[in-house]
Amino acid sequence: DILEYKKKQRPQKIRMLDGSVKTVMVDDSKTVGELLVTICSRIGITNYEEYSLIQETIEEKKEEGTGTLKKDRTLLRDERKMEKLKAKLHT
């Protein structure tokens, strides 16, 4: 068996919705729900019930010939689709 000693507090990088990155000290002994309350209070977000934490995965760069769409193209396509749907609505 291996015994690892880790610090209870560690810095955690949080990427906000606008793309900015903030670093907050978090307690590893707390649950994710408790961490969310701590993170939101330190950043200044009052309605922490509306937020959640996700782990950002870094996708490996695939070969050019795979035929997959890039992120920018899918976003542009979704924006066009949303504009067509907005035009159909009469609100």
Side-chain angles (χ1 to χ4, degrees):
D1 291 334
I2 298 173
L3 178 63
E4 293 183 23
Y5 290 99
K6 293 184 177 182
K7 293 182 179 182
K8 186 176 175 183
Q9 297 258 336
R10 66 176 172 87
Q12 178 67 50
K13 291 185 179 181
I14 308 293
R15 183 178 308 274
M16 306 302 288
L17 293 174
D18 62 355
S20 64
V21 177
K22 298 185 178 189
T23 304
V24 178
M25 292 297 287
V26 295
D27 186 354
D28 276 339
S29 65
K30 292 185 178 182
T31 63
V32 175
E34 294 170 339
L35 285 178
L36 188 60
V37 174
T38 304
I39 291 169
C40 287
S41 65
R42 291 191 181 157
I43 292 175
I45 298 173
T46 55
N47 52 350
Y48 62 88
E49 298 93 4
E50 297 178 6
Y51 290 88
S52 63
L53 298 174
I54 60 168
Q55 186 174 6
E56 186 176 47
T57 57
I58 301 172
E59 296 179 11
E60 296 178 11
K61 190 172 184 179
K62 296 183 179 182
E63 296 178 13
E64 294 292 328
T66 58
T68 58
L69 293 176
K70 293 183 178 181
K71 186 176 181 180
D72 295 332
R73 289 185 183 172
T74 58
L75 288 177
L76 183 60
R77 184 184 66 197
D78 289 342
E79 286 180 19
R80 288 181 189 157
K81 187 184 291 185
M82 289 302 292
E83 290 298 323
K84 288 180 183 177
L85 290 174
K86 285 181 186 176
K88 290 180 182 179
L89 291 176
H90 299 288
T91 58

